[in-house]
């Protein structure tokens, strides 16, 4: 899937994220989430998985966008 096929829930032109290179949360058509953030080395995940860190305010913004 491409980024254009996802619904961006955070950083929609509010001045905090304008170059697609900051932490963001996206929603897929199936209702799952894709998270973009800084790579974390907190622990080694299983094969096929990765770890990213995103600030709390990004998660709060995503929750607000979903109306939760």
């Amino acid at each position: 899937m491409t980024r254009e096929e996802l619904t961006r829930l955070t950083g929609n032109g509010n001045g905090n994220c304008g170059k697609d290179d900051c932490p963001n949360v996206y929603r897929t058509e199936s209702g799952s989430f894709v998270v973009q953030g800084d790579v974390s080395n907190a622990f080694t995940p299983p094969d096929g998985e990765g770890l990213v860190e995103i600030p709390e305010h990004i998660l709060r913004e995503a929750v607000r966008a979903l109306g939760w």
Side-chain angles (χ1 to χ4, degrees), residues 2-67:
T2 65
R3 186 186 314 226
E4 291 74 31
E5 296 174 84
L6 304 171
T7 300
R8 188 173 178 170
L9 300 175
T10 58
N12 290 317
N14 61 8
N16 295 328
C17 300
K19 299 179 182 172
D20 292 329
D21 61 351
C22 55
N24 280 299
V25 178
Y26 300 87
R27 191 166 196 185
T28 67
E29 280 188 15
S30 67
S32 63
F33 298 92
V34 175
V35 179
Q36 173 188 1
D38 294 327
V39 175
S40 174
N41 295 314
F43 63 90
T44 303
D47 286 344
E49 296 182 5
L51 304 176
V52 298
E53 288 187 45
I54 61 170
E56 180 180 326
H57 74 275
I58 297 295
L59 290 177
R60 290 181 183 275
E61 185 179 343
V63 168
R64 278 193 301 275
L66 291 167

